[in-house]
Structures are given as C-alpha cells and as structure tokens.
Amino acid sequence: MKKNNMLTRLVTLLLAAFTVLTVTVMAAGVGSSDDPLVTLSYLNETFLPQVLRAVDEKITERNTQLAGALSDQIRTDAAAFERKYGAVSGGTGEMSGTVDSFVVVTLAKDQTLCGDVGCELLLRTGSAVCVANSSPGLIDETTAGTIYNGDALAKNHLYMITVTERGVRATADSTKILVRGTYAVQ
C-alpha cells in the first residue's frame, strides 16, 4: 500500500511540476537564467509541500470511504451468514433458525426441537422420540415409513416434518441432530 502511495505521489508531483513549468514558459515567453519566474526554492519549500499535502488529503479521504464500504459489506455478509447458517439464542435457552443446509443442533435431555413443514432431521448421537399431537408424526424418508408420537427415532435415518406442530424430544443428554429447514428449540 505504501509503495502504491509513493508512486501516486511521484506521478502527481511530476505532473504538477510539468504543468507549472509549461505555464511559466508560456506566460514568460522567453525567460533567462537571470530573471526566472519560478525559483527552485519556491518549488521545494512551498509548492511541493502543498501538492504533497493535497495528495495526502485525497488518499486519506479515499481510505475513509473504502473503510466505510468494507465495514458495511462485512455487516451485510455477517447478517446473511447468520440468517443462512446460524442459530440465534434468545438468552432464555431457546434457539431458532432457518438453514438451507444441514446444521448440528445439540439438545439436552427433555429439550424439544419443533420444525416447520419441510424441515428435515437426522439423529446422529443420543436418543430422541417423536413429538406429535396427532397422526402422522414424522415421515421416515429412509424407510418410507411413518413414526408416531412417542416412537423412538432411529440413528442415521432422515425424517421430514410434513404437518405443523411436529418435532422431536431428546431422551438422552447431548443428543445431536442434523437439521435443515426452519426450526425452534425449546
């Protein structure tokens, strides 16, 4: 970045010096070494510091703009990531989320995971039972069967919620379930 700034300063300085010299020669018509219009000391002590200060101000202004744009992009991307992959804790031990790919949700004993229609679940570790207030409970996509309220989930079987107010309750500590779709843990 410093190399780029130095190159920018050098190019700006050369262009400014060339412009001043061109204007001076054009304004003076014919000059002599006895009567110069612009002295070297003026260029070194006054003009050059002014040009460098103006270049520094522009670089600082541009860096500020870029830093603001980067911060905004980071906030936008972080919010999109949280919506897509993250479960948000409400501080009361409840979590919820909507995910497009599977995420691991860890349930303590007697915690219930309820999902919306289309939510998919896969029991990895621990044990859990189906929670449903009517039939059918969950669809076992692995066997093309149905499980009902209170039935145990089989490990590594993919289940789908096809009716609202369905879910699973952990019957062991540290039950891990892969979840895809909209869900809430209570």
Side-chain angles (χ1 to χ4, degrees):
M1 183 85 171
K2 285 187 174 194
K3 192 175 192 179
N4 194 13
N5 285 343
M6 292 301 292
L7 182 61
T8 304
R9 285 183 178 182
L10 180 62
V11 170
T12 303
L13 177 63
L14 290 174
L15 288 174
F18 179 74
T19 303
V20 168
L21 291 175
T22 302
V23 169
T24 301
V25 169
M26 291 175 63
V30 177
S32 68
S33 60
D34 295 334
D35 187 68
L37 293 176
V38 177
T39 65
L40 182 59
S41 63
Y42 171 77
L43 288 175
N44 288 337
E45 296 170 9
T46 306
F47 182 72
L48 181 60
Q50 288 175 350
V51 169
L52 292 176
R53 203 171 17 261
V55 168
D56 285 341
E57 289 172 2
K58 288 291 184 183
I59 290 171
T60 302
E61 179 183 324
R62 183 67 179 149
N63 283 345
T64 303
Q65 289 173 347
L66 291 174
L70 181 61
S71 295
D72 291 344
Q73 187 65 43
I74 289 171
R75 276 192 296 278
T76 301
D77 290 347
F81 181 84
E82 184 67 29
R83 279 192 308 275
K84 186 170 183 175
Y85 297 109
V88 180
S89 175
T92 60
E94 295 183 7
M95 296 186 316
S96 64
T98 300
V99 289
D100 294 332
S101 60
F102 283 100
V103 295
V104 177
V105 177
T106 303
L107 301 176
K109 186 173 183 173
D110 293 327
Q111 273 191 310
T112 302
L113 183 144
C114 295
D116 283 350
V117 172
C119 183
E120 293 177 299
L121 313 164
L122 185 117
L123 177 64
R124 291 293 296 145
T125 63
S127 59
V129 295
C130 174
V131 176
N133 55 7
S134 64
S135 293
L138 300 174
I139 303 301
D140 184 343
E141 294 182 37
T142 305
T143 62
T146 303
I147 65 169
Y148 302 96
N149 187 43
D151 288 349
L153 275 67
K155 288 184 182 174
N156 300 318
H157 280 223
L158 184 61
Y159 297 94
M160 178 180 279
I161 297 173
T162 59
V163 180
T164 60
E165 299 178 7
R166 301 291 189 266
V168 296
R169 187 178 76 250
T171 56
D173 285 331
S174 190
T175 298
K176 294 187 186 296
I177 299 175
L178 294 176
V179 181
R180 178 171 51 194
T182 303
Y183 68 94
V185 175
Q186 303 165 344

